[in-house]
Amino acid sequence: MQHLPMLPILLPMLAAVFMLLPPLSTTITRQRVFSILVMVLLVIGSVFLLLDSHQQGTQVYVLGGWQPPFGITLVADRLSTLMVLLTSVLGLCAQLYACAGDDNDGMYFHPLFMFQIMGINGAFLTGDIFNLFVFFEILLIASYALLIHGGGKQKTKANIHYVILNLVGSSIFLFALGILYGTIGSLNIEDMASKVPLLGEHEQALAKAGGLLLLVVFGLKAALLPLHFWLPKTYAAASAPVAALFAIMTKVGVYSILRVHTTIFGEDAGALASIAIPWLWPLGWLTLIMGAIGVLASPSLRLTSANLVIVSVGTLMLALAMEREAATSAALYYTIHSTLVTGALFLIADLISEQRGKAEDRYVVARNMNHAKVIGIAFFIAGLTVIGMPPLSGFVGKILILQAAQGVVEMAWIWPVVLLSGLACLVAISRAGTTIFWRSTGDSPDEEPISALKLIAVALLLCASPLLVVFGGVVTDYTDLAADQLHDRAAYIDTIHEGGE
Amino acid sequence: MNLLWVVLLPLIGTLVPLLTERFGRNICAFSVAILPAWSLILVLMYAGGIFDGDAIRQTIEWIPAIGLDLSFRLDGLSLLFLLLILGIGLLVILYARYYLSSKDSMGQFYAYLMLFMSAMVGIVISNNLIQLWMFWELTSISSFLLISFWWHKSEARKGARMALTVTGAGGLALLAGLLLIGHMVDSYDLDTVLASGDAIRADAYYPVALILVLLGAFTKSAQFPFHFWLPHAMSAPTPVSAYLHSATMVKAGIFLMARFYPALAGTDLWFIIVSLTGLITLLLGAYIALFKHDLKGLLAYSTISHLGLITLLLGLNSELAAVAAVFHVINHAIFKASLFMAAGIIDHESGSRDMRKLNGLWKYMPYTATLAIVAALSMAGVPLLNGFLSKEMFFAETLNQSMLGSLSWIIPLLATVGAAFSVAYSLRFIHDVFFNGEPIDLPKTPKEPPRYMKVPVEILVTLCLLVGIFPVYVVEDLLHVASFAVLSHAVPEHNLAIWHGFNVPFFMSLLAMVGGLTIYYNRRHLFQFQAQFDEPDAKHIFEGAVQRVVSTSARITEKLENGSLQRYIFLLLISTLVMGASPLFDLSQNTGSRAQIPIDGVTITGAVLLILSAIATVIWHRRRFLALIFLSVVGLVVSLAFAQFSAPDLALTQLSVEIVTIILLLLALFFLPQNTSKESSNRRLSGDLFVAGMIGCVIGTICYAMLTSPLNTISDFFLANSKTGGGGTNVVNVILVDFRGFDTLGEITVLGIAALGIFKLIANMRIYMPTRDDKGRAWSNDPHPMMFEMVSQSLLPLALLVSVYIFLRGHNVPGGGFIAGLITAVAIIQQYIAHGVQWIKPRVKIDYQWLIAGGILIATATGLGSWIFDKPFLSTWFDYFNLPWIGEFELASAMLFDLGVYLTVVGAVMLILANLGKLTTSERIISKENV
Amino acid sequence: MEAIYAFCVGVLTTCGFFLVLRGRTFTVVIGLTLLSYAVNLFLFASGRLKLDGAAVLGQSAEYSDPLPQALVLTAIVIGFAMTAFVVILAMRSRADQGNDHVDGQIPELPIKLGSSDKRNG
């Protein structure tokens, strides 16, 4: 299976292409069956890929047979394969949910969805920085198109903001790439990593500017303060399955920071070592606080979920800023947990608003819900998880991050905000839940059945939460290894070289 | 692994009622009782060993990364609490069977109750800090569910939320504290922690850790100033109160302090915080309790006061005091549980809990009355009842301490006052409810409850008596082992006799009795005195505070996140500026060592033209058509620049893209306003101009520094291998289709997706079509001028020929699939413009969407082809052939790849432009896209 | 020469960013286009400037760096796709919102608001 690393990119791409051609392009049912099949395959494939790179070590796929640094390489190490698997699982659930009917509110849902998955996976797998840009563009253009799926003023408005901001972001990305190539003279991340320490001080200053501009771009994707304002309204406007899939998009930004700023500008990058860290500390800290404030302020479950995404980003940034294996491992665990649960929350918010008529998912007194029980249970589980209450996955992630903070200074900075943001979530979620499920006025509406597919999707996402605790030992072992691998720059460089031969 | 079962059985028990509910109330209640009873039996089986003084431990590894193990420890303290939790739990199950009305969902109630029970069990047998915290939080969650069981009542919701928030906040503090302790001793194993008490007390973080842990304990045990949540938790069904506020929830905090006594106690800080908090809580609770007209309210505050008493004892740092504390834990649990149940019965049978209405119930329910009275007397600390014994010990201990130096005598005094008040409210409970005239308009006439509803109360009251009369035989051993666990060494000599002779403690109790009687006798004056203060309602204060926090954060978000794209972009640019500029300060001189190209006139003119037209675009940006013209000039010069600096491919591409873009913008402008008036203030304009200018300077500087510094790149490899490895002499093209073909594949995918997205946007776009431009001139109504039709039709084959040529030569000289595609597209577009959609439709039958898909498919398939030869994706193959007449020519997989590019480009551009053009006609796309 | 080139890039960048900061979609699009010119020139510059050194084997004595050219080509195409999308999106938003302001509504009395430097116009 030497070609396995290509699978997460090629499979969705081909699937999308085939769904644009007859016979699949003609009926939605065929597309549904086909795309669910593909996603299941993708999940299986990602599992195999993860096991491969976990057991046989990092898989390097040299495209076109041009050995690095000249050709483009895909690098399937523990980190990237983990992210790919996460994407596939989230994608499958969002897909299932969409197949209950949301996919039919507009054209090309399934092809665009597949392209989106392809873009995300590509961004995770590629070992070439310009190729990273290309995959960013793929996932962005796909997300632009998916965001307007379903139509409506709100979506158009949100999309205008989202698109223009990201277009500016892309041009900054290209400026940064220009600088980096113009100083380092290479595009392969591994090659850049090995060349950065050797730069003359004239180049150093320039390369630093390039690296920091990249931080801006990734910060925009990850919704790092002060570049996070676009997120809440955009995510709240998107249709449920799209919003659920978007839960991974901010993580792409986080991943890129992790990849670029620990590999190229890592601890042992000479004069350019850890240039991002001084910025990550305050920004991550403020992001977390702003996120918590946003969570308290949100008038609807969609907005709450969107702000929870920002909270998770802030937490992750603090973990990254600690620049330590333990912290990175914590961040990885937290990423898995937060991505899946926020995805679930977006879907639950949609289930709720379907049932409450005009009130939708806003925190106001509204008519009784049918299926209040089943949705309530789902909300309860998701709520506990996201607050970080035991026995669900949130608390493990929180404790991991708290424990990773070493020494007085780090503790003094990290512990209060992490714990208090948890409290803010507790207050917000408990108010939300009691209002939505308990402050309802008598009359129950005529029976609207609730689609089994949707419930399955939500259930799949939610059962991740207890599993992450029950098998917490296994997961944390894996994330530990992944973190070590990421921080071991020398080994990374060697692997790619061997992969080249 | 039996200890695991002790907690597992009740946990499984949460499912039982949900399954057995349908079989009727009795079976449901009975089935629920089985599992906790079983686990109680398990505990009792261990009891023997515990009494011999050894503790049982069992551990399974779980998540080593956070130091979380499944680790259990059963010692005297755990045993004591297990007996209370499981024993009283069983009684509550029986009681609830009769208390709950048929409207309440019994299954849910029991499920929550069992969840709570297992959480409590988990706390008391944890041998791992993290695990302990886990169960601790679980109690908060399950108590939230229990308190809000009647969720349709507003006060139930509010009370539950308050309890959750306060205890949850405490839980977070506790977590921090426990992690800190674990950090100190470098282990989360309880045994290790308790063993290394001295190390902890010596540690620099000790005060922080202590305060954090105590915050957890005080919030749970409703100690001042966190006591306010407890009375509002009374909106729960009475069985819940009987369970949570006698034996379990509130005792969890006490348990925590007792558990960590060996590790944390013994310092002045501990004494000050714990004993003072306890003392204040004791007095406050006792005082307020007297004025509560609600039965459960009175009991709630008396609970607070008694918890204060226990806390005070633990705070005294004396071993005997600790013993007394443990003893009072037992006694309070017993009499308070029975009292709550009695109150529940009264409420249940008379329909009211208001002591101003409830009078003289003795006539109606003498039996219940007797039970309640005995329990109340025990609460008052009357001899021959268990309450008396622990109170005596308490008095003795307040005398023995000397922590406040010469002021130490205050503590016993205040203790007596507190005791007096507890006598007073106990009297009120007895006298007001069962005597004191006739009941005043109760909803229903009181009567004795069903037989088995009384059983739990009977059992508990009997215990009160037994413990009170034969303490040595009944509790001595249990008390001993429990205290041993708390002190973690030999228990000091203590005497549980009922009669210690005429000593100071005895006189203190006597004083308390008399004082209590006098207070109650003169209560009228006290009530009048109290009436002048209006009692604050914690519920409103708390909710108000939360509301304020919410509205404040809402305001903040409003202010910052005001939905203005211009602000967001401005922030983005500021960040860019800061990040880009900051490193440049370390850049000593920005001119590098690289030899520079001499300046020549042509380039100068080009540059000037470029700059002028760019600036013109900005100046006239509100007159859009004009701006567009200047923009196209800029684009033209840029492509010339590419040609000048030896990048012919770029020049060609830029040019062709330029044309299509301008067509696109013109089409769009047709639908958009042509001019707009000035909108931004000058201040805004100058601000924007400044930021943009600064970024321009930074980028320019970097660009210059970059251009003038030497560089050796990986590109020599491409120059060297282009012909031999890629089979092409045009290195740029070879890079595109071969070395970095993967980028190109991605690039055409982007193009394809964009086309799809645009089609999605255009579908059902309800846009108003202007008939005349903004100056009022009508658009030409002759869409297809004759001349134009002729020319364009004759041009078509030529254009196609050119594009084929460009395509084929691409690999070796400037050209290639992309440019060829654009040319073809433009040629076809021209036909659209010339003849109109109606004329084209029957003639062009291809679906552009298929073109896109096909193109990407071909390109990908080319890449996949190399798998057949067991080469990695996108490996190229090429060879030279010789045919008569044509001569030698080359075939390369790259060409096939380029064909894919070509098709995608044509498809994408046509899909965009053709459909956009359709907007100007009647042929609009209709789809399900609901606008 | 390098200086002039760099200066042009700087000017284009300034103009681009300035227009992107305006309030109307079409103007923003023009700004983005200008910006993309700047970006392409900049990215191209990362391979340094060379006169008549087209990277076509056997046509010139020494070649200019071909890699940035390939990158710029990709960038141009992607930029084109993006511009096309945002233009149509601008039309769609005009159709849906009835105006072409980036925030979907035209702020009342923009001058006043603007002068009290609130960036919500």
Side-chain angles (χ1 to χ4, degrees):
Chain A
M1 285 313 292
Q2 52 152 338
H3 298 301
L4 197 55
M6 282 303 294
L7 182 95
I9 301 172
L10 278 186
L11 188 59
M13 180 189 196
L14 288 173
V17 169
F18 282 125
M19 280 190 280
L20 291 172
L21 295 167
L24 288 175
S25 61
T26 47
T27 72
I28 189 84
T29 4
R30 287 182 197 154
Q31 290 191 10
R32 283 174 182 165
V33 177
F34 180 72
S35 54
I36 290 178
L37 247 159
V38 170
M39 287 311 293
V40 171
L41 271 178
L42 189 57
V43 172
I44 298 168
S46 323
V47 170
F48 276 110
L49 184 58
L50 181 132
L51 292 177
D52 265 19
S53 76
H54 183 47
Q55 286 149 3
Q56 281 117 49
T58 306
Q59 312 275 309
V60 180
Y61 192 81
V62 183
L63 283 149
W66 303 107
Q67 79 272 27
F70 307 110
I72 295 173
T73 52
L74 300 182
V75 182
D77 61 0
R78 291 201 178 91
L79 173 58
S80 49
T81 50
L82 173 66
M83 298 307 284
V84 168
L85 177 59
L86 187 58
T87 314
S88 331
V89 172
L90 184 67
L92 172 63
C93 297
Q95 182 99 54
L96 284 171
Y97 192 93
C99 287
D102 294 355
D103 56 353
N104 214 8
D105 307 347
M107 317 160 71
Y108 299 134
F109 178 85
H110 289 291
L112 290 170
F113 193 90
M114 285 295 170
F115 279 128
Q116 172 91 65
I117 299 276
M118 165 205 180
I120 297 171
N121 284 346
F124 287 141
L125 282 172
T126 185
D128 179 287
I129 196 142
F130 190 82
N131 196 238
L132 179 68
F133 166 77
V134 174
F135 276 112
F136 260 75
E137 296 307 304
I138 294 180
L139 70 89
L140 280 173
I141 187 76
S143 68
Y144 302 159
L146 277 175
L147 188 51
I148 49 152
H149 179 78
K153 278 191 198 304
Q154 282 315 311
K155 290 191 172 67
T156 325
K157 187 181 164 193
N159 209 3
I160 284 270
H161 286 199
Y162 179 63
V163 171
I164 294 179
L165 269 172
N166 276 300
L167 287 187
V168 177
S170 303
S171 37
I172 298 170
F173 200 154
L174 284 173
F175 277 127
L177 290 184
I179 299 172
L180 288 179
Y181 179 80
T183 48
I184 305 173
S186 179
L187 293 171
N188 182 303
I189 293 179
E190 161 271 326
D191 193 36
M192 295 168 86
S194 52
K195 281 178 181 164
V196 159
L198 317 172
L199 289 180
E201 52 85 47
H202 186 256
E203 281 73 15
Q204 269 171 15
L206 297 181
K208 186 174 181 186
L212 288 179
L213 284 183
L214 276 186
L215 185 62
V216 175
V217 181
F218 299 150
L220 181 67
K221 298 277 176 303
L224 183 62
L225 186 115
L227 312 175
H228 70 288
F229 292 110
W230 58 271
L231 189 139
K233 290 193 177 64
T234 312
Y235 279 34
S239 65
V242 178
L245 182 61
F246 279 14
I248 191 85
M249 296 266 277
T250 52
K251 307 300 190 295
V252 179
V254 178
Y255 166 88
S256 313
I257 295 179
L258 202 52
R259 181 62 82 192
V260 168
H261 286 278
T262 47
T263 308
I264 301 183
F265 303 103
E267 293 107 313
D268 43 7
L272 294 182
S274 30
I275 50 175
I277 303 306
W279 300 99
L280 283 187
W281 269 115
L283 294 183
W285 198 78
L286 290 170
T287 313
L288 182 49
I289 290 177
M290 278 311 300
I293 292 178
V295 169
L296 282 170
S298 307
S300 77
L301 187 51
R302 281 196 190 84
L303 277 171
T304 310
S305 322
N307 280 300
L308 284 167
V309 173
I310 296 179
V311 168
S312 70
V313 170
T315 320
L316 286 171
M317 286 304 163
L318 283 179
L320 262 60
M322 283 189 257
E323 224 192 355
R324 188 178 303 126
E325 279 84 349
T328 313
S329 165
L332 293 184
Y333 184 97
Y334 189 86
T335 308
I336 311 173
H337 140 77
S338 61
T339 309
L340 294 176
V341 69
T342 35
L345 267 174
F346 280 114
L347 298 185
I348 294 172
D350 188 59
L351 285 179
I352 290 173
S353 37
E354 274 179 355
Q355 305 252 323
R356 287 173 84 227
K358 282 204 174 12
E360 289 192 328
D361 59 341
R362 278 177 288 114
Y363 303 143
V364 292
V365 184
R367 70 182 198 199
N368 272 328
M369 278 188 272
N370 300 316
H371 322 287
K373 209 164 212 148
V374 61
I375 301 177
I377 293 169
F379 176 84
F380 188 68
I381 296 174
L384 289 184
T385 312
V386 87
I387 295 167
M389 278 267 195
L392 295 168
S393 55
F395 88 100
V396 180
K398 188 184 288 176
I399 291 181
L400 277 169
I401 287 174
L402 292 179
Q403 286 175 337
Q406 299 291 332
V408 192
V409 185
E410 282 188 1
M411 280 186 185
W413 278 98
I414 293 180
W415 283 29
V417 285
V418 172
L419 291 171
L420 287 177
S421 66
L423 183 59
C425 296
L426 174 77
V427 172
I429 295 287
S430 59
R431 288 169 61 84
T434 43
T435 314
I436 289 180
F437 292 99
W438 287 347
R439 287 188 60 197
S440 47
T441 51
D443 63 318
S444 190
D446 47 349
E447 193 63 32
E448 306 141 2
I450 179 166
S451 149
L453 269 176
K454 292 188 172 185
L455 287 182
I456 295 170
V458 175
L460 276 178
L461 283 175
L462 286 182
C463 70
S465 173
L467 288 179
L468 277 172
V469 178
V470 174
F471 300 105
V474 187
V475 178
T476 44
D477 288 346
Y478 183 87
T479 51
D480 282 344
L481 290 174
D484 298 345
Q485 196 178 45
L486 182 70
H487 284 268
D488 188 346
R489 221 151 141 274
Y492 180 77
I493 293 172
D494 299 342
T495 338
I496 311 291
H497 272 303
E498 290 154 15
E501 268 80 72
Chain B
M1 197 55 229
N2 294 352
L3 272 188
L4 178 59
W5 285 108
V6 171
V7 55
L8 221 50
L9 287 170
L11 201 55
I12 301 164
T14 43
L15 303 176
V16 174
L18 302 174
L19 304 175
T20 58
E21 187 179 12
R22 66 178 72 91
F23 302 122
R25 300 160 71 83
N26 290 329
I27 296 181
C28 182
F30 181 72
S31 60
V32 172
I34 296 171
L35 289 168
W38 185 354
S39 98
L40 182 60
I41 293 166
L42 283 179
V43 173
L44 290 174
M45 279 157 46
Y46 281 110
I50 308 296
F51 284 126
D52 303 342
D54 50 4
I56 298 125
R57 297 182 175 72
Q58 278 155 354
T59 305
I60 320 168
E61 197 178 59
W62 188 0
I63 310 183
I66 59 172
L68 171 55
D69 293 332
L70 269 185
S71 174
F72 301 102
R73 150 192 176 123
L74 181 58
D75 61 4
L77 190 62
S78 326
L79 177 66
L80 164 61
F81 271 88
L82 282 175
L83 294 179
L84 290 177
I85 295 162
L86 294 169
I88 298 185
L90 285 167
L91 296 182
V92 169
I93 292 174
L94 173 59
Y95 179 78
R97 145 75 182 83
Y98 293 95
Y99 181 87
L100 292 179
S101 81
S102 49
K103 291 191 298 299
D104 306 319
S105 148
M106 201 174 216
Q108 247 179 49
F109 179 85
Y110 277 135
Y112 296 160
L113 196 71
M114 296 308 286
L115 183 63
F116 178 80
M117 188 189 286
S118 18
M120 281 306 300
V121 170
I123 291 183
V124 296
I125 62 170
S126 287
N127 194 21
N128 173 290
L129 300 191
I130 308 284
Q131 185 198 336
L132 187 151
W133 178 77
M134 199 173 112
F135 285 113
W136 180 275
E137 292 294 75
L138 214 50
T139 56
S140 305
I141 299 165
S142 42
S143 62
F144 170 79
L145 292 172
L146 282 169
I147 296 170
S148 65
F149 182 69
W150 286 323
W151 47 264
H152 39 80
K153 292 190 197 158
S154 151
E155 64 269 24
R157 290 196 301 268
K158 291 205 174 80
R161 274 218 303 270
M162 200 192 297
L164 180 65
T165 314
V166 175
T167 52
L172 289 171
L174 176 62
L175 173 62
L178 293 178
L179 287 178
L180 212 48
I181 293 177
H183 195 62
M184 293 177 195
V185 301
D186 193 24
S187 157
Y188 295 96
D189 176 41
L190 190 62
D191 293 326
T192 328
V193 172
L194 296 186
S196 44
D198 300 328
I200 295 174
R201 280 183 288 267
D203 195 292
Y205 292 143
Y206 167 74
V208 190
L210 176 64
I211 290 167
L212 288 170
V213 172
L214 287 180
L215 274 176
F218 289 169
T219 44
K220 247 324 189 244
S221 288
Q223 294 299 297
F224 177 85
F226 308 110
H227 61 284
F228 57 85
W229 66 264
L230 195 144
H232 293 281
M234 288 302 145
S235 43
T238 305
V240 176
S241 324
Y243 195 39
L244 267 61
H245 306 131
S246 65
T248 52
M249 172 102 165
V250 291
K251 288 283 178 26
I254 304 291
F255 171 82
L256 193 72
M257 287 188 272
R259 177 94 286 180
F260 284 91
Y261 195 83
L264 297 177
T267 61
D268 292 0
L269 191 63
W270 168 277
F271 167 75
I272 297 292
I273 301 176
V274 178
S275 60
L276 286 187
T277 318
L279 187 58
I280 298 169
T281 319
L282 162 66
L283 293 167
L284 195 74
Y287 180 75
I288 299 176
L290 184 59
F291 301 100
K292 285 291 159 195
H293 301 302
D294 174 10
L295 265 182
K296 284 177 78 177
L298 183 150
L299 293 177
Y301 276 99
S302 101
T303 303
I304 293 178
S305 137
H306 280 271
L307 292 168
L309 186 155
I310 302 171
T311 313
L312 171 55
L313 279 170
L314 284 170
L316 290 175
N317 279 340
S318 110
E319 301 186 335
L320 272 173
V323 179
V326 177
F327 193 22
H328 198 66
V329 167
I330 306 174
N331 297 333
H332 175 256
I334 295 173
F335 66 67
K336 192 49 68 69
S338 52
L339 278 170
F340 268 114
M341 290 180 179
I345 291 176
I346 293 166
D347 182 9
H348 200 259
E349 299 306 326
S350 70
S352 166
R353 289 183 343 211
D354 188 337
M355 280 188 279
R356 283 162 302 189
K357 297 180 178 173
L358 292 167
N359 298 359
L361 290 191
W362 175 265
K363 292 189 212 52
Y364 303 91
M365 39 172 73
Y367 189 76
T368 316
T370 328
L371 296 173
I373 290 169
V374 174
L377 290 176
S378 163
M379 172 162 74
V382 172
L384 297 185
L385 291 168
N386 59 351
F388 170 73
L389 296 173
S390 40
K391 190 158 283 183
E392 286 282 285
M393 290 173 85
F394 165 61
F395 286 143
E397 284 319 307
T398 52
L399 293 168
N400 291 347
Q401 54 74 33
S402 60
M403 283 291 201
L404 292 183
S406 60
L407 288 180
S408 303
W409 60 273
I410 293 182
I411 296 186
L413 178 67
L414 293 176
T416 323
V417 174
F421 271 102
S422 74
V423 171
Y425 65 67
S426 310
L427 275 174
R428 180 171 186 214
F429 183 90
I430 298 167
H431 179 257
D432 254 6
V433 177
F434 297 109
F435 309 102
N436 193 21
E438 278 299 309
I440 302 160
D441 56 49
L442 293 173
K444 43 186 175 178
T445 42
K447 55 169 182 21
E448 288 287 354
R451 178 73 198 85
Y452 290 102
M453 198 171 185
K454 283 177 289 196
V455 171
V457 193
E458 289 163 349
I459 297 174
L460 290 166
V461 171
T462 325
L463 276 173
C464 287
L465 287 161
L466 286 178
V467 175
I469 301 167
F470 313 107
V472 185
Y473 308 103
V474 183
V475 285
E476 176 65 59
D477 296 351
L478 183 58
L479 179 58
H480 186 276
V481 286
S483 320
F484 178 79
V486 173
L487 303 170
S488 76
H489 58 72
V491 183
E493 202 40 55
H494 59 273
N495 173 6
L496 283 185
I498 310 168
W499 179 245
H500 298 94
F502 292 98
N503 54 7
V504 187
F506 178 72
F507 285 112
M508 286 168 78
S509 347
L510 213 56
L511 205 60
M513 293 291 167
V514 179
L517 278 166
T518 8
I519 294 174
Y520 182 65
Y521 187 71
N522 304 319
R523 62 184 182 284
R524 227 164 263 83
H525 312 296
L526 256 176
F527 276 72
Q528 278 157 9
F529 168 75
Q530 190 60 20
Q532 60 193 330
F533 318 103
D534 48 356
E535 178 197 6
D537 181 351
K539 193 156 74 240
H540 296 139
I541 298 169
F542 181 80
E543 279 295 319
V546 174
Q547 287 293 358
R548 267 195 300 289
V549 172
V550 169
S551 53
T552 320
S553 30
R555 261 202 309 289
I556 296 172
T557 347
E558 291 284 310
K559 196 112 193 67
L560 296 172
E561 194 186 313
N562 65 347
S564 151
L565 177 65
Q566 286 164 288
R567 168 187 285 188
Y568 303 164
I569 297 181
F570 193 79
L571 286 167
L572 175 57
L573 296 193
I574 292 285
S575 339
T576 314
L577 183 58
V578 174
M579 292 299 185
S582 55
L584 297 186
F585 297 119
D586 329 344
L587 190 58
S588 48
Q589 96 287 18
N590 49 22
T591 315
S593 53
R594 190 169 181 275
Q596 304 202 14
I597 304 170
I599 299 166
D600 65 90
V602 188
T603 335
I604 293 285
T605 15
V608 173
L609 186 59
L610 181 84
I611 292 165
L612 288 181
S613 38
I615 293 171
T617 321
V618 170
I619 293 172
W620 283 290
H621 73 266
R622 281 193 301 279
R623 302 185 47 197
R624 298 178 170 180
F625 188 74
L626 206 55
L628 211 49
I629 304 290
F630 285 118
L631 184 70
S632 53
V633 177
V634 178
L636 201 63
V637 180
V638 169
S639 36
L640 288 177
F642 285 139
Q644 161 78 353
F645 296 111
S646 49
D649 286 276
L650 285 189
L652 271 175
T653 318
Q654 181 73 59
L655 202 59
S656 37
V657 167
E658 187 64 23
I659 295 162
V660 182
T661 313
I662 294 298
I663 297 180
L664 197 64
L665 288 174
L666 280 171
L667 259 171
L669 193 51
F670 174 70
F671 291 99
L672 295 170
Q674 257 98 75
N675 300 312
T676 45
S677 55
K678 185 164 180 296
E679 240 170 19
S680 317
S681 66
N682 292 334
R683 178 168 170 190
R684 156 81 70 86
L685 286 173
S686 45
D688 294 354
L689 194 57
F690 176 74
V691 175
M694 288 311 293
I695 298 183
C697 299
V698 171
I699 293 295
T701 320
I702 296 178
C703 185
Y704 179 72
M706 198 166 66
L707 281 170
T708 53
S709 58
L711 170 72
N712 53 349
T713 71
I714 52 176
S715 296
D716 309 339
F717 175 88
F718 300 125
L719 293 166
N721 294 279
S722 172
K723 185 98 177 95
T724 54
T729 53
N730 179 3
V731 186
V732 177
N733 182 280
V734 175
I735 294 178
L736 279 174
V737 297
D738 191 345
F739 295 111
R740 297 186 67 88
F742 200 48
D743 280 347
T744 315
L745 187 59
E747 153 199 328
I748 59 174
T749 316
V750 171
L751 199 57
I753 303 171
L756 298 182
I758 288 170
F759 191 66
K760 214 170 152 59
L761 277 169
I762 294 175
N764 275 23
M765 192 194 290
R766 303 231 168 69
I767 194 156
Y768 140 90
M769 218 216 340
T771 51
R772 36 191 69 246
D773 72 3
D774 58 338
K775 291 197 183 53
R777 290 170 304 207
W779 295 103
S780 155
N781 52 10
D782 166 21
H784 321 303
M786 181 61 180
M787 199 44 211
F788 188 39
E789 283 193 38
M790 303 294 297
V791 174
S792 50
Q793 209 165 341
S794 53
L795 271 180
L796 181 61
L798 182 65
L800 293 180
L801 204 64
V802 171
S803 59
V804 171
Y805 171 68
I806 297 265
F807 173 82
L808 287 178
R809 72 201 282 267
H811 211 42
N812 293 314
V813 280
F818 182 77
I819 302 165
L822 280 179
I823 295 175
T824 317
V826 171
I828 304 176
I829 283 300
Q830 208 176 19
Q831 303 311 308
Y832 269 96
I833 300 172
H835 305 282
V837 183
Q838 295 82 347
W839 185 87
I840 302 283
K841 250 179 112 186
R843 290 172 176 70
V844 187
K845 288 249 181 304
I846 25 171
D847 183 337
Y848 299 123
Q849 163 187 333
W850 299 355
L851 265 189
I852 300 175
I856 300 179
L857 193 57
I858 291 175
T860 320
T862 322
L864 285 172
S866 45
W867 284 9
I868 302 165
F869 310 98
D870 194 35
K871 291 251 181 53
F873 189 73
L874 276 178
S875 309
T876 44
W877 160 93
F878 64 93
D879 204 346
Y880 299 90
F881 298 89
N882 223 322
L883 278 185
W885 304 306
I886 299 171
E888 193 198 54
F889 69 101
E890 176 191 1
L891 278 184
S893 59
M895 287 180 167
L896 206 56
F897 184 82
D898 226 8
L899 177 66
V901 177
Y902 173 83
L903 291 178
T904 316
V905 172
V906 176
V909 176
M910 291 314 299
L911 192 64
I912 297 169
L913 286 179
N915 290 308
L916 190 51
K918 282 186 187 157
L919 283 178
T920 62
T921 70
S922 55
E923 308 263 335
R924 296 197 175 188
I925 310 106
I926 306 302
S927 91
K928 284 188 288 309
E929 199 87 36
N930 47 353
V931 181
Chain C
M1 185 71 84
E2 275 75 2
I4 300 174
Y5 188 94
F7 185 73
C8 294
V9 173
V11 172
L12 283 181
T13 316
T14 311
C15 300
F17 276 134
F18 178 76
L19 288 185
V20 168
L21 280 167
R22 307 273 53 81
R24 299 298 183 141
T25 48
F26 190 80
T27 325
V28 172
V29 173
I30 293 185
L32 287 169
T33 323
L34 274 178
L35 194 57
S36 66
Y37 294 146
V39 166
N40 294 340
L41 285 173
F42 186 89
L43 193 54
F44 176 68
S46 67
R48 312 297 186 259
L49 301 181
K50 198 175 233 79
L51 296 173
D52 38 67
V56 178
L57 298 178
Q59 278 195 2
S60 37
E62 57 172 4
Y63 307 107
S64 61
D65 188 341
L67 186 52
Q69 302 190 16
L71 302 188
V72 174
L73 264 171
T74 313
I76 292 177
V77 179
I78 291 176
F80 166 69
M82 294 296 171
T83 319
F85 187 87
V86 73
V87 168
I88 311 300
L89 183 60
M91 291 171 52
R92 175 62 177 263
S93 118
R94 172 98 196 273
D96 289 0
Q97 328 260 4
N99 66 65
D100 68 333
H101 194 280
V102 285
D103 299 333
Q105 71 259 11
I106 300 157
E108 64 289 343
L109 297 173
I111 301 298
K112 260 210 183 57
L113 280 173
S115 60
S116 66
D117 207 15
K118 284 207 197 96
R119 304 207 140 270
N120 50 8

